[in-house]
Amino acid sequence: MNAPVSAPVLTKNQSLVFDVLNRTDAPMSAYTILDKLRDHGFRAPLQVYRALDKLLEFGMVHRLESLNAFVACAHPESECCGHGHGHGSVAFAICESCGHVSEFHDHEVDHRLSDWAKRKGFKPAKTTIEIRGLCSACAA
Amino acid sequence: MNAPVSAPVLTKNQSLVFDVLNRTDAPMSAYTILDKLRDHGFRAPLQVYRALDKLLEFGMVHRLESLNAFVACAHPESECCGHGHGHGSVAFAICESCGHVSEFHDHEVDHRLSDWAKRKGFKPAKTTIEIRGLCSACAA
DNA sequence: CAATTGATGTAATAACATTACATATCAAAA
DNA sequence: TTTTGATATGTAATGTTATTACATCAATTG
């Protein structure tokens, strides 16, 4: 194991964006975040996107590709798998009714996908796994 | 086995859009398709999006969420698994260098994901699995 | 023939994201 | 301490992706 990747120091804008995401359970678009931060001086999308880029890089935030939206990482500390470095990818279950997102990890899924990649000589950089549907509450 | 889902009859616009996608290996954005079809009378994005909606519904085309782009389905006939009905989901490996997309299926991955869903009472509607990275040719 | 349904055409607008350029902040090197 | 370099920030403009709204057309069917 290398450097334990202690929590990075966030800049003002990064903190503001992260706090907004961290205070809600549902994913948020960059423009929604922007609107939430107008009172704090945000005027342009780029301020949000720049902060998000860093937070993604730090592994503190995930992008949901099928939604063009962002969520705070749900396993903030601890947890087994190195996340944010391309291996140990994360899966999401997204409720299309209430918007709730569950983040989970399945080692076997990872294994099968990286196995396929190895056989094909494909070098994975980032893996997206998103299940859209209805959460148990909304399905009832 | 139920009705063998014979190839649906496509309208003029649907055929045009499908042909464009089917003639190339790399994914294409809706606007790129639009440009390719200007000569055939296409003038507005909606003409493309409407055709794509149907083709997606027919399972003849896939949307790559991480790219906001579309590809023709790579296992056009035959193949074991019913595709396009939510189960038997498909995975994609997308080369970020050459744009090539490989479509594949892993039964075990499906199983693990639907298993997780079952345990959580989550009702999956559509599953997205996309690996971005470098294909064997580009990695060399 | 209405009436319904599905496909189409067109314009306008909404939603998401980036480029380009100017300025500011701060820590390390000279 | 001043310079330098790297990172962060502010702002405007633009580019890209997707949808809404409304009108028309064609085929089917009651």
Side-chain angles (χ1 to χ4, degrees):
Chain A
M1 284 294 130
N2 278 332
V5 184
S6 58
V9 176
L10 300 184
T11 67
K12 182 159 164 279
N13 286 3
Q14 288 159 19
S15 295
L16 287 167
V17 168
F18 181 72
D19 287 352
V20 166
L21 281 177
N22 205 31
R23 268 199 281 279
T24 179
D25 196 18
M28 248 184 204
S29 78
Y31 278 74
T32 304
I33 296 169
L34 174 57
D35 286 339
K36 298 252 180 202
L37 290 175
R38 299 244 181 232
D39 293 347
H40 293 269
F42 274 48
R43 335 276 325 300
L46 195 50
Q47 294 174 287
V48 176
Y49 283 111
R50 285 203 275 229
L52 285 172
D53 281 348
K54 285 298 183 184
L55 294 169
L56 287 166
E57 188 183 317
F58 299 154
M60 298 175 68
V61 158
H62 299 291
R63 179 187 169 89
L64 300 177
E65 300 290 352
S66 69
L67 246 39
N68 293 331
F70 304 84
V71 281
C73 178
H75 50 249
E77 313 286 335
S78 56
E79 206 71 16
C80 57
C81 46
H83 51 282
H85 291 88
H87 39 55
S89 57
V90 167
F92 301 92
I94 303 167
C95 179
E96 303 194 288
S97 170
C98 69
H100 177 85
V101 173
S102 298
E103 181 178 338
F104 66 100
H105 179 85
D106 186 299
H107 199 276
E108 179 65 12
V109 168
D110 268 15
H111 179 74
R112 297 287 294 188
L113 293 179
S114 63
D115 206 57
W116 180 93
K118 193 156 295 172
R119 283 201 308 280
K120 299 293 185 178
F122 189 94
K123 295 277 172 266
K126 178 165 191 263
T127 297
T128 296
I129 304 174
E130 296 176 16
I131 310 176
R132 298 184 58 171
L134 293 178
C135 72
S136 54
C138 292
Chain B
M1 285 292 131
N2 277 331
V5 183
S6 58
V9 176
L10 301 184
T11 67
K12 182 157 163 281
N13 286 1
Q14 288 159 18
S15 294
L16 287 167
V17 168
F18 181 72
D19 287 351
V20 166
L21 281 177
N22 205 31
R23 269 200 281 279
T24 179
D25 195 20
M28 249 184 202
S29 79
Y31 279 76
T32 302
I33 296 170
L34 175 56
D35 286 338
K36 298 252 180 201
L37 289 175
R38 298 246 182 232
D39 293 347
H40 294 267
F42 274 48
R43 337 274 324 303
L46 196 49
Q47 295 175 287
V48 176
Y49 282 112
R50 285 203 275 228
L52 285 172
D53 282 348
K54 286 298 183 185
L55 294 170
L56 288 166
E57 189 183 317
F58 299 153
M60 299 175 67
V61 157
H62 299 291
R63 179 188 168 89
L64 300 176
E65 301 289 353
S66 68
L67 245 39
N68 294 329
F70 304 85
V71 281
C73 178
H75 49 252
E77 313 287 334
S78 57
E79 208 70 16
C80 59
C81 46
H83 50 283
H85 291 89
H87 39 56
S89 56
V90 167
F92 302 92
I94 302 166
C95 179
E96 304 195 286
S97 170
C98 69
H100 179 84
V101 174
S102 299
E103 180 178 339
F104 66 101
H105 179 85
D106 186 300
H107 200 276
E108 178 66 11
V109 167
D110 268 15
H111 180 74
R112 299 287 294 186
L113 294 179
S114 63
D115 206 57
W116 180 94
K118 195 154 293 171
R119 283 201 308 280
K120 298 294 186 178
F122 189 94
K123 295 278 174 264
K126 180 168 190 257
T127 298
T128 296
I129 304 174
E130 297 176 15
I131 312 176
R132 298 184 57 171
L134 293 178
C135 72
S136 54
C138 293

